[in-house]
């Protein structure tokens, strides 16, 4: 029961209310929260309620949803948020090549201090990883070409390793940054790099051209949902990485406010089909997010996928970096996978397999408490995806 925390539910032992303050760094070494459970256990409802309640405390919320993002839209619109659909069929765009992380640290908004480390070098490194997610087996020579082409591309816009070059002469207004087509043009100019431009073609004139332009959505909104549903397999990994990178930039720039990054089904960046570079990026982000002024809220239903890359070291790293964990209903085989990691007893494993929707085992270190999550009627009405509820709503609307 944390003073100043948000209501998460009732203790199943004695029905006492449970309140959590994820941002209390005196009580928790980090406020990162990881939720696990099978499909239908109630994770999405629980996560959205947490996001909405944190927003009511004045926090900034960014949700990255690789699957069933439409489930997040009603609540997002109800709280006046910005719903962003990324994909070939959507006009929404978050500029991949924009440089946003200007602060020296998460709390530099107080002083307006600009980072001394090269922002361009950081962006080039990030874009190189993003590129590698779409073209496997890059040689060291290819990596060097990519690095050099990006430096050349930004240079044509007057942006160099000197951070002052990001601004116009007034020292305040940011210069225009390149888009994917500008990078594509640089690669096409030289015979030795033309083969590398092929990967970018879809972002220039292909099916994903809407994803390669400049930002055209409200990225300053305090409640943002980024929906990645429906992307093809070869686009989804890069899109999740891009959305998570954008969220990290926002967290740094809003350190005083305290930002919560909510990533549903994070295993897509950590699973067997991912890339060690991307998985390492996500793991490092979750580990350091408290120092950036935010918290990471993650969930997954695929425990085997979470531990599928490099022997599960990245999935385990996420677990180790999340002080607060909630295990909802899951099959015994899945529960066994995390039994040792969370020090669960045999009775607790059996309890997990018998939980009803919305119930879970809240684990903070060696303290394990079964809780029942509760949503208000208004929250439930905005979030529910129950076919029965929706049919009832349609019938009542037709009367």
């Amino acid at each position: 029961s944390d003073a100043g925390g948000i209501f998460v539910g009732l203790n199943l032992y004695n029905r006492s209310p449970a309140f959590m303050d994820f941002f209390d760094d005196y009580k928790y070494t980090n406020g990162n929260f990881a939720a696990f459970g099978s499909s239908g256990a109630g994770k999405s409802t629980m996560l959205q309620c947490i996001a909405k309640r944190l927003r009511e405390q004045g926090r900034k919320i960014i949700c990255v949803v690789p699957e069933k993002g439409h489930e997040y839209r009603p609540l997002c619109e109800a709280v006046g948020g910005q719903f962003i659909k990324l994909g070939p069929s959507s006009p929404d765009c978050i500029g991949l090549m924009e440089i946003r992380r200007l602060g020296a640290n998460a709390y530099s908004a107080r002083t307006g201090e600009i980072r001394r480390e090269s922002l361009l070098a950081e962006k080039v490194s990030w874009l190189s990883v993003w590129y590698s997610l779409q073209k496997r087996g890059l040689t060291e020579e290819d990596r060097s070409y990519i690095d050099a082409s990006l430096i050349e591309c930004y240079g044509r816009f007057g942006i160099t390793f000197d951070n002052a070059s990001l601004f116009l002469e007034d020292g305040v207004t940011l210069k225009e940054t390149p888009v994917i087509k500008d990078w594509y043009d640089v690669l096409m100019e030289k015979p030795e790099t033309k083969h590398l431009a092929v990967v970018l073609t879809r972002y220039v004139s292909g099916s994903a051209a809407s994803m390669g332009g400049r930002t055209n959505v409200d990225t300053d909104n305090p409640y943002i949902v980024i929906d990645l549903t429906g992307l093809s397999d070869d686009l989804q990994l890069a899109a999740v990485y891009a959305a998570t990178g954008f969220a990290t930039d926002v967290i740094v720039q809003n350190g005083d406010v305290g930002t919560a990054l909510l990533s549903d089904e994070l295993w897509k960046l950590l699973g067997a089909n991912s890339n060690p570079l991307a998985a390492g990026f996500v793991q490092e982000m979750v580990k350091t997010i408290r120092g950036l002024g935010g918290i990471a809220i993650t969930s997954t239903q695929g425990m085997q996928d979470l531990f599928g890359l490099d022997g599960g070291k990245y999935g385990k790293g996420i677990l180790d970096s999340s002080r607060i964990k909630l295990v909802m209903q899951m099959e015994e085989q899945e529960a066994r996978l995390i039994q040792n990691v969370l020090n669960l007893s045999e009775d607790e494993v059996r309890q997990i397999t018998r939980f009803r929707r919305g119930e879970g085992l809240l684990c903070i270190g060696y303290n394990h408490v079964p809780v029942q999550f509760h949503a208000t009627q208004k929250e439930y009405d905005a979030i529910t995806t129950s076919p029965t509820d929706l049919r009832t709503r349609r019938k009542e609307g037709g009367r």
Side-chain angles (χ1 to χ4, degrees), residues 59-358:
R59 310 293 185 183
K60 180 154 185 167
I61 310 299
I62 303 177
C63 304
V64 179
V65 193
E67 293 183 350
K68 297 185 291 186
H70 64 278
E71 295 181 357
Y72 282 70
R73 185 162 198 159
L75 180 61
C76 177
E77 294 178 345
V79 300
Q82 170 72 69
F83 187 86
I84 302 170
K85 169 72 174 175
L86 295 186
S89 61
S90 172
D92 297 343
C93 182
I94 296 175
L96 288 168
M97 300 186 71
E98 293 175 14
I99 298 175
R100 302 181 184 87
R101 198 185 303 187
L102 306 176
N105 54 58
Y107 304 96
S108 60
R110 297 174 182 171
T111 63
E113 181 185 359
I114 299 299
R115 297 177 63 182
R116 290 185 294 176
E117 302 91 345
S118 173
L119 295 167
L120 175 60
E122 183 179 76
K123 190 66 180 182
V124 167
S125 176
W126 184 88
L127 283 167
S128 296
V129 175
W130 174 81
Y131 182 97
S132 71
L133 294 175
Q134 299 167 91
K135 186 175 177 62
R136 304 294 177 93
L138 289 172
T139 65
E140 287 302 316
E141 186 177 34
D142 287 338
R143 295 182 190 279
S144 296
Y145 284 143
I146 291 169
D147 190 88
S149 66
L150 283 166
I151 295 170
E152 169 67 18
C153 183
Y154 280 96
R156 294 181 182 183
F157 283 74
I159 298 173
T160 67
F161 290 121
D162 181 358
N163 290 340
S165 67
L166 288 167
F167 302 90
L168 297 177
E169 291 183 0
D170 61 9
V172 177
T173 307
L174 285 168
K175 290 180 180 176
E176 187 176 79
T177 52
V179 294
I180 297 297
K181 184 181 186 308
D182 299 311
W183 183 14
Y184 172 86
D185 290 340
V186 171
L187 289 171
M188 286 295 293
E189 288 176 4
K190 298 179 181 179
E192 63 269 26
T193 58
K194 279 187 176 182
H195 69 287
L196 297 171
V198 174
V199 171
L200 303 179
T201 302
R202 68 171 67 184
Y203 295 97
V204 177
S205 57
S207 60
S210 62
M211 300 172 65
R214 303 190 189 282
T215 300
N216 60 8
V217 292
D218 179 15
T219 57
D220 292 326
N221 193 294
Y223 195 103
I224 296 174
V225 174
I226 303 176
D227 176 18
L228 305 174
T229 307
L231 289 173
S232 59
D233 291 341
D234 57 340
L235 274 178
Q236 189 171 63
L237 187 57
V240 174
Y241 178 79
T244 307
F246 161 75
T248 306
D249 292 344
V250 173
I251 289 168
V252 173
Q253 293 304 108
N254 292 274
D256 277 352
V257 173
T259 303
L261 167 60
L262 190 155
S263 186
D264 204 353
E265 299 301 341
L266 188 69
W267 61 267
K268 284 188 174 292
L269 269 180
L270 304 171
N273 293 325
S274 185
N275 177 306
L277 290 173
F281 166 81
V282 175
Q283 182 185 28
E284 188 63 24
M285 180 205 68
V286 173
K287 286 170 61 177
T288 61
I289 199 168
R290 168 65 83 187
L292 298 176
I295 61 169
I297 301 175
T298 59
S299 80
T300 185
Q301 68 181 41
M303 297 305 301
Q304 291 181 331
D305 288 308
L306 188 66
F307 296 112
L309 185 64
D310 284 359
K313 73 174 184 178
Y314 297 106
K316 188 176 185 303
I318 296 293
L319 291 180
D320 292 341
S321 302
S322 300
R323 178 63 175 166
I324 306 163
K325 306 173 184 73
L326 181 69
V327 187
M328 306 183 81
Q329 193 279 327
M330 59 175 59
E331 299 300 322
E332 182 175 354
Q333 182 180 2
E334 296 267 294
R336 295 290 179 190
L337 288 174
I338 58 172
Q339 181 177 11
N340 293 332
V341 177
L342 300 183
N343 300 304
L344 302 179
S345 67
E346 286 296 320
D347 286 341
E348 287 172 335
V349 170
R350 285 192 291 271
Q351 188 178 36
I352 288 168
T353 63
R354 297 169 184 167
F355 276 145
R356 292 176 295 180
R357 179 180 295 179

